[in-house]
Structure formats: structure tokens, C-alpha cells
Amino acid sequence: DAKTTQPPSMDCAEGRAANLPCNHSTISGNEYVYWYRQIHSQGPQYIIHGLKNNETNEMASLIITEDRKSSTLILPHATLRDTAVYYCIVHGSGNTGKLIFGQGTTLQVKP
Amino acid sequence: DTGVSQNPRHKITKRGQNVTFRCDPISEHNRLYWYRQTLGQGPEFLTYFQNEAQLEKSRLLSDRFSAERPKGSFSTLEIQRTEQGDSAMYLCASSLARLAGAQETQYFGPGTRLLVL
């Protein structure tokens, strides 16, 4: 079973920031938080990952709480092309490499 | 394009036929994963290879399924005697694991969509 909990769906206005939450209260010390997204009929796309510090790249920012029990993926200026299912995944070396996907959050960006 | 590639992108077959899918990972990636995704669900792990060695198989991988990675580069996934329940998207991902147990990021291909009639 997935070790994360995400809301099933969210809406966001185009041009505004999209903040996608994820709960992972049972995360272990050596497990990272990964985010992928999947646009309809395509393979999952890697977005970002982090261990305990906040991370930022060209796609998004990842904010991890100090206790590491939750995180938020931030898309700073959402566009219509960001409409997708977003998966938050806890992943560490103890998982023998495989990713365990949950249901994810369907983000709908609206004009 | 230097990403993960999968062929074919779509496959329609009749129940009972055998099908084979191919995955070409990112060059020099030593790990290769297969996942299956049914409609409305997240991808589910099937199996993975480190170089040419198949290190783990999910219980989802019945004896009708076989995967190979003979030279540690591309991989094939074969389904024998297909059933309608095999209809799904089959995804391949690859990663570079530099040390045993080291953290890695998996990059996915576009998938092969299988429809069994």
C-alpha cells in the first residue's frame, strides 16, 4: 500500500500558484519524498524530490515540514498544460527500488 | 531524444495470443523497471532488473508474463495467452543506481497501451 495520502482532486486558476499537499506520517528517516505527474495517456514525469530540506527546480518547489510528516508541491504559475494527476511517493533504498503509487491528486487548471 | 522509449505504443490483440513489448532505457542506466497501469489507477510495479539480473518480481507477474534484459540494455516483456484482464498500459522506467541501496530517480517511457479483445 502507498504510504502517502493526497486529496483526490483540486482546481487552480491559470497563472496562480498550485499547492498540492501530501501526508506521509509514517515516513522513515532514509526515505525521500518524490513527486511525479502524469498527463493523460502519457508516462509519469519526474518533477522533484527531497529528503528534509526544501527543494526548487525549474518545474516546482517542494516544501517538507520539519517533522517530515507532510509536504507540499508548489507550481508557482500554473498553466493549462499543468493539468494532470500528481503523485506523491515515499521512496527509499529499503523499497528495493520500486515506486509505490497511490491514487494521486487530479489537478485541473482552469482558464 | 535520449529518454526512455517503448515500442509499440499501442497493441490490439485477440485473447489467447502472445504479445511482446520492448523498452529501451536511458543510455548507461543500470536499472530497468516494468509497471502496469489500469484505467483510473496509479502504476503498479511488476519487476525490475539491475543490469541483466532480474532482482524482484511482483505477485502480479503471473507465469504467463516473462521479462528479459539479456545484455543489460533493452528489455522485453512478453505476455503469453493474453486475457482481457491484461488490457492496460505497460510502463517502463530506468534509473542509475550508483551504489547498492543508493537513492535513484526513475524516468518513465511513454508506455505501451494493450487492448485484448
Side-chain angles (χ1 to χ4, degrees):
Chain A
D1 289 344
K3 297 178 65 174
T4 62
T5 304
Q6 299 177 253
S9 63
M10 293 182 63
D11 289 343
C12 177
E14 189 179 18
R16 305 298 294 269
N19 297 285
L20 292 94
C22 180
N23 287 323
H24 31 80
S25 59
T26 61
I27 191 170
S28 300
N30 65 345
E31 290 180 320
Y32 287 68
V33 179
Y34 274 77
W35 284 83
Y36 284 80
R37 73 179 182 184
Q38 190 170 26
I39 297 170
H40 183 62
S41 295
Q42 298 182 20
Q45 178 188 22
Y46 165 75
I47 301 174
I48 198 168
H49 74 281
L51 184 61
K52 51 185 176 182
N53 297 323
N54 298 338
E55 302 288 344
T56 296
N57 63 20
E58 64 278 7
M59 290 183 67
S61 294
L62 174 60
I63 308 298
I64 302 174
T65 58
E66 191 170 345
D67 63 8
R68 304 212 318 128
K69 292 185 177 181
S70 65
S71 61
T72 301
L73 179 75
I74 301 172
L75 307 178
H77 306 286
T79 70
L80 298 178
R81 289 182 294 181
D82 292 323
T83 293
V85 179
Y86 287 76
Y87 295 100
C88 169
I89 301 168
V90 165
H91 180 52
S93 58
N95 296 336
T96 64
K98 64 187 176 189
L99 297 173
I100 301 174
F101 289 79
Q103 297 295 317
T105 296
T106 299
L107 175 68
Q108 182 73 47
V109 180
K110 298 185 174 181
Chain B
D1 185 16
T2 57
V4 178
S5 62
Q6 293 186 246
N7 288 289
R9 295 291 309 278
H10 303 274
K11 179 71 176 178
I12 300 174
T13 191
K14 293 182 179 179
R15 187 179 52 176
Q17 298 294 305
N18 299 342
V19 294
T20 300
F21 310 140
R22 175 176 171 131
C23 171
D24 287 88
I26 293 171
S27 179
E28 298 181 357
H29 275 192
N30 54 0
R31 285 191 176 176
L32 187 149
Y33 297 81
W34 286 99
Y35 293 83
R36 182 175 70 182
Q37 185 174 26
T38 53
L39 204 59
Q41 304 296 315
E44 296 175 290
F45 169 78
L46 291 177
T47 188
Y48 92 98
F49 295 83
Q50 172 117 357
N51 299 312
E52 64 275 7
Q54 189 173 16
L55 297 187
E56 185 176 353
K57 293 193 288 187
S58 162
R59 65 181 183 277
L60 295 175
L61 210 68
S62 76
D63 55 6
R64 296 186 297 107
F65 288 69
S66 62
E68 294 183 341
R69 195 183 183 200
K71 298 182 180 179
S73 56
F74 74 91
S75 175
T76 57
L77 177 68
E78 181 183 17
I79 309 175
Q80 295 183 326
R81 305 181 302 282
T82 53
E83 301 173 356
Q84 289 183 323
D86 297 330
S87 295
M89 171 87 89
Y90 290 84
L91 293 160
C92 175
S94 72
S95 68
L96 177 62
R98 291 187 170 86
L99 297 170
Q103 198 57 30
E104 57 180 294
T105 296
Q106 294 178 33
Y107 297 91
F108 284 80
T112 294
R113 187 170 294 280
L114 173 66
L115 177 61
V116 181
L117 301 176

